[in-house]
């Protein structure tokens, strides 16, 4: 949800985005996407993608949606994170 605080929902990618780094963030849950969308609405260097994805679709989205020189690609999955990175 865009928070940069320690605890159960800690996400270091949010800390980097809040610190001014740009990038592409995938979020599968609408309830978490909406706060991110509000938080980064004025940031042209932060792109958000809502919805579940696959390694193939993620690769297409990265190619077409990522900022020109992204600092960060956030992949937040419940399992198989490495499948997407590969």
């Amino acid at each position: 949800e865009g928070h940069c605080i320690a605890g159960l929902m800690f996400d270091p990618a949010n800390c980097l985005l809040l610190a001014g780094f740009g990038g592409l963030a995938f979020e599968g849950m609408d309830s978490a996407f909406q706060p991110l969308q509000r938080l980064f609405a004025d940031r042209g260097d932060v792109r958000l993608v809502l919805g579940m994805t696959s390694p193939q679709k993620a690769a297409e989205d990265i190619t077409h949606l990522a900022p020109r020189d992204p600092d960060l690609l956030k992949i937040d999955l419940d399992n198989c994170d490495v499948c997407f990175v590969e």
Side-chain angles (χ1 to χ4, degrees), residues 5-66:
I5 54 175
L8 180 62
M9 299 302 287
F10 176 69
D11 187 340
N14 292 333
C15 299
L16 293 171
L17 294 174
L18 289 168
F21 292 90
L24 178 63
F26 292 86
E27 178 54 61
M29 296 183 343
D30 187 57
S31 61
F33 182 80
Q34 298 303 323
L36 288 172
Q37 197 172 37
R38 284 189 298 275
L39 186 61
F40 298 113
D42 296 331
R43 295 272 309 273
D45 63 335
V46 175
R47 307 281 170 78
L48 305 171
V49 178
L50 171 63
M52 302 299 174
T53 192
S54 68
Q56 295 77 19
K57 184 175 179 326
E60 291 173 14
D61 286 341
I62 291 166
T63 301
H64 295 91
L65 300 175

